[in-house]
Amino acid sequence: CAREHSRFAGIGAIARQAGVPPCLVALRTVPRGAAPPHMKAKKAAQVLGVNEGDDEATITAAFRTRAAQWHPDRNEGNRDEATRRFEEINRAFRALNQNGNTAGEAMDLSEMLLFFQFMMGGASQPTEDAAALSVSELKKRLEERGVDYAGCVEKSDLVELLERETAEDQRRVAKARRAARKKAQQRRKKAREKAERNSSEEQDAALVRVADAVSSGDAALARSALDEAERAHLAPGDKYARLFEHARELVRRADEDEARAREAAASEKASREKLEAKKERREARRRAEERAEAEARRKKELREAARKEKKQKRR
């Protein structure tokens, strides 16, 4: 705890030289490995009074307006509430800002100085004239830096010591800025290399699948391999143009065979339906003929019965 307190005290001294307000330092000087509470994009948009889909310029303008409104130095009568709201606005901006660190990722000292100095206008506050300060003020400034001024007899000694410490603080801040820029560049370079490496691996895997499909003559595998190559943005070029042409030919032939099979199936189905209809018509004619024959036999039997009955009566 003592080491962390000492580290935070050093941060405060350097931040003052960089022109960063103490309240801003208090917001992000967390131990390495810790992280502020994560804020969802919807909640962050409500805090800043913007929409989730707004561009960076709109979000930055809203952040500046809200930050100026709730700056603790402008709300002396309600400093605790202002500090809480100011920290909430800061976390909301971090959650929506696509070009900054991701939400929930703690900044180290150099990144914090660069970030807040950029957001507050891009330039540090002017340094004060040490010679214009009184002896008590000079001693106070040196005590804030933890500098021993016991060997200083004259005011000029105190001024020289303070100026030397101020220059050293400015060198440390400049070094922190350079380190932060270098770290950001390295992070972006690693991200690009990782994206390129992943893309290259995907392209190599797609190329191997296309070759396997051509070797096996599997049209379905060739189709999926070509789709995978397209998703990986694989341009075959002259070296593998023939291989991809073979794969496309497999797919084309499979499509033609499938189309012919569908046509044959449709033709066979039509012929089968035609035969079935013809058979039904033949069966219907047969049943109609049988009914007609049965009706003729019945009428003939009735006539025969009537003739026999008439003949019997005459007898």
Side-chain angles (χ1 to χ4, degrees):
C1 293
R3 284 195 300 270
E4 291 296 331
H5 178 75
S6 176
R7 188 172 72 86
F8 293 162
I11 288 174
I14 297 176
R16 281 191 296 273
Q17 291 298 320
V20 179
C23 58
L24 296 183
V25 179
L27 295 180
R28 296 298 297 174
T29 51
V30 296
R32 187 170 301 279
H38 177 67
M39 181 180 293
K40 294 184 178 180
K42 183 176 181 181
K43 173 65 175 176
Q46 293 176 353
V47 171
L48 294 181
V50 297
N51 298 320
E52 295 182 45
D54 287 345
D55 56 14
E56 185 178 354
T58 304
I59 295 174
T60 302
F63 169 77
R64 288 176 183 271
T65 302
R66 296 296 177 92
Q69 178 184 357
W70 288 101
H71 197 290
D73 293 342
R74 296 185 179 182
N75 296 270
E76 293 291 345
N78 193 15
R79 193 175 187 85
D80 293 340
E81 176 66 15
T83 301
R84 186 189 66 80
R85 294 293 298 273
F86 193 83
E87 182 178 359
E88 184 181 39
I89 292 167
N90 169 52
R91 290 193 293 114
F93 175 76
R94 301 267 299 156
L96 293 178
N97 184 23
Q98 297 178 354
N99 293 330
N101 298 304
T102 57
E105 179 186 354
M107 289 189 292
D108 58 18
L109 171 61
S110 58
E111 291 174 320
M112 180 198 69
L113 292 176
L114 284 178
F115 174 74
F116 282 114
Q117 185 180 8
F118 168 76
M119 289 310 305
M120 297 307 293
S124 60
Q125 296 177 351
T127 56
E128 56 187 354
D129 184 10
L133 300 176
S134 64
V135 174
S136 59
E137 290 175 339
L138 289 171
K139 291 181 179 180
K140 182 179 179 181
R141 299 289 191 277
L142 292 172
E143 288 173 356
E144 289 177 352
R145 289 168 169 77
V147 179
D148 183 13
Y149 56 86
C152 299
V153 178
E154 301 292 336
K155 177 182 178 180
S156 58
D157 297 336
L158 294 173
V159 170
E160 182 181 356
L161 181 59
L162 179 59
E163 289 177 346
R164 187 165 59 249
E165 289 297 324
T166 301
E168 182 63 25
D169 288 343
Q170 291 175 348
R171 282 194 294 271
R172 284 198 295 268
V173 171
K175 183 178 179 181
R177 291 173 184 159
R178 290 193 297 270
R181 281 195 293 269
K182 184 176 180 181
K183 183 177 180 180
Q185 291 172 355
Q186 291 175 348
R187 187 163 52 242
R188 289 193 296 269
K189 182 179 179 182
K190 289 181 179 179
R192 286 196 302 270
E193 291 176 350
K194 183 178 180 181
E196 292 174 357
R197 186 165 55 252
N198 293 339
S199 177
S200 178
E201 291 175 356
E202 292 175 359
Q203 291 178 355
D204 292 343
L207 184 61
V208 170
R209 290 198 63 189
V210 172
D212 291 343
V214 172
S215 299
S216 61
D218 189 341
L221 181 59
R223 190 189 306 278
S224 63
L226 289 174
D227 292 341
E228 183 178 346
E230 183 177 358
R231 288 193 298 271
H233 305 290
L234 174 60
D238 296 335
K239 186 175 181 180
Y240 301 108
R242 190 66 177 171
L243 178 66
F244 276 72
E245 185 61 32
H246 281 306
R248 296 190 189 96
E249 182 67 19
L250 281 175
V251 174
R252 186 183 63 79
R253 290 179 181 176
D255 291 341
E256 291 178 353
D257 293 342
E258 185 178 354
R260 282 195 294 269
R262 285 197 300 268
E263 291 177 0
S267 177
E268 183 180 355
K269 181 179 180 181
S271 299
R272 188 165 55 251
E273 290 176 352
K274 186 177 180 180
L275 289 174
E276 291 291 337
K278 187 176 181 180
K279 185 184 295 184
E280 289 179 359
R281 290 195 299 271
R282 188 183 301 116
E283 185 67 21
R285 284 198 301 270
R286 186 184 63 78
R287 288 194 296 266
E289 290 174 356
E290 289 178 352
R291 285 196 299 270
E293 291 176 357
E295 184 66 20
R297 285 194 301 270
R298 188 181 67 81
K299 291 180 179 180
K300 183 179 180 180
E301 291 174 356
L302 290 175
R303 287 195 301 271
E304 287 293 335
R307 191 170 52 253
K308 289 180 180 180
E309 184 179 358
K310 188 177 179 180
K311 187 178 181 180
Q312 188 70 25
K313 285 182 179 180
R314 281 201 301 266
R315 288 181 182 178

